[in-house]
Amino acid sequence: MAETTSDQAPRPRLRLRIYLDDSTWVGPGKADLLELIRDTGSISEAGRRMRMSYKRAWTLVETLNATFQEPLVHSERGGAGGGGATLTPAGEEVLELYRNLQLRAAEAGQAEIQRLEQMRAPAPVK
Amino acid sequence: MAETTSDQAPRPRLRLRIYLDDSTWVGPGKADLLELIRDTGSISEAGRRMRMSYKRAWTLVETLNATFQEPLVHSERGGAGGGGATLTPAGEEVLELYRNLQLRAAEAGQAEIQRLEQMRAPAPVK
């Protein structure tokens, strides 16, 4: 979630997508959305913090809910105005799996990532 | 590179992008393009096999060359018609680093990936 605020040669970041079929994946955007729904209890607030429309956030939630055997997000009431939303146990698990995968991948690839960083050209002047 | 040909619950695939700054990354498309340039000796042929225009392939090569201190692709002659292209030592190294990172990440995250696969809904009938 943390974005670098400096534009001077930020550290490399690894972004992972796990494709569950040809057109369905879990990636950083969906993981961040799940995390924000957990933290704010609201799909619209989570979407707002990611600068996406309520419609977009809701579509992503529907996609996630349809991707797994169990829904990941339980929404109390519909409507743009509100109604609480919570992660289901499956939602908590998928979020944790994704975060673990991120950590493990970054650890396992540390040497490669450092070497790519060394090989990188200096940041262009903007 | 290998794409699954079955649309029945293919195995999850991990796709990685390493962001070297906010708008520059090495990901599966660029790695595949480097590999095909290495294997075919031609930017246009590499692009064709990835179903991208020559212009698109060339733009990606220019981006890659500008991303690192050393160019990754050496092109013998310009022009859409041909002229050979080869990977420089830096190009070989970046490709190898990316492939190693892919393997290490998939190994390190094996348990998480398997669990996500278990939790996935059955593939929809198309």
Side-chain angles (χ1 to χ4, degrees):
Chain A
M1 290 278 302
E3 293 292 323
T4 176
T5 50
S6 163
D7 56 3
Q8 294 244 322
R11 295 195 63 75
R13 285 179 300 142
L14 193 59
R15 288 169 69 94
L16 310 173
R17 279 186 180 179
I18 305 114
Y19 276 74
L20 295 167
D21 66 41
D22 285 352
S23 58
T24 315
W25 66 85
V26 182
K30 286 174 186 145
D32 287 355
L33 186 66
L34 287 175
E35 193 166 274
L36 282 167
I37 291 169
R38 183 193 64 191
D39 292 350
T40 67
S42 157
I43 294 171
S44 55
E45 179 58 24
R48 199 153 35 230
R49 294 198 187 180
M50 292 183 73
R51 292 178 199 157
M52 61 173 71
S53 68
Y54 180 77
K55 185 167 184 299
R56 170 90 180 127
W58 185 253
T59 301
L60 287 176
V61 166
E62 282 178 330
T63 301
L64 281 167
N65 281 352
T67 298
F68 294 93
Q69 287 160 42
E70 310 276 343
L72 305 192
V73 175
H74 174 71
S75 165
E76 301 288 328
R77 286 181 298 127
T86 51
L87 295 195
T88 64
E92 298 278 1
E93 185 173 1
V94 166
L95 177 58
E96 191 183 345
L97 288 167
Y98 183 83
R99 294 299 182 215
N100 284 347
L101 186 57
Q102 264 187 317
L103 281 176
R104 286 182 202 282
E107 271 171 24
Q110 209 173 4
E112 285 79 9
I113 293 170
Q114 278 173 4
R115 179 64 186 139
L116 287 168
E117 186 178 17
Q118 282 173 356
M119 295 177 74
R120 177 180 61 186
V125 178
K126 285 177 187 168
Chain B
M1 288 281 302
E3 293 293 324
T4 178
T5 50
S6 162
D7 57 3
Q8 293 244 321
R11 296 195 63 75
R13 286 178 300 143
L14 193 57
R15 289 170 68 94
L16 308 173
R17 279 186 178 179
I18 305 115
Y19 276 75
L20 295 167
D21 67 39
D22 286 351
S23 57
T24 315
W25 65 85
V26 183
K30 287 176 186 144
D32 287 354
L33 185 66
L34 287 176
E35 195 166 273
L36 282 167
I37 290 169
R38 184 193 64 191
D39 294 349
T40 67
S42 157
I43 294 170
S44 55
E45 179 59 23
R48 200 156 30 234
R49 294 198 188 179
M50 291 182 73
R51 292 178 197 154
M52 60 173 73
S53 67
Y54 180 78
K55 185 167 185 296
R56 169 89 180 129
W58 186 253
T59 301
L60 286 175
V61 166
E62 282 179 328
T63 301
L64 281 167
N65 280 352
T67 299
F68 294 93
Q69 288 161 41
E70 312 275 345
L72 304 193
V73 175
H74 174 70
S75 165
E76 303 287 327
R77 289 182 296 126
T86 51
L87 295 195
T88 64
E92 298 278 2
E93 185 173 359
V94 166
L95 178 58
E96 192 185 343
L97 288 167
Y98 183 82
R99 294 297 182 217
N100 284 346
L101 187 56
Q102 265 187 317
L103 282 176
R104 286 182 202 284
E107 270 171 25
Q110 212 174 1
E112 284 80 9
I113 293 169
Q114 277 173 3
R115 178 64 185 139
L116 286 168
E117 187 179 17
Q118 282 174 355
M119 294 176 75
R120 178 180 61 186
V125 177
K126 284 176 188 172

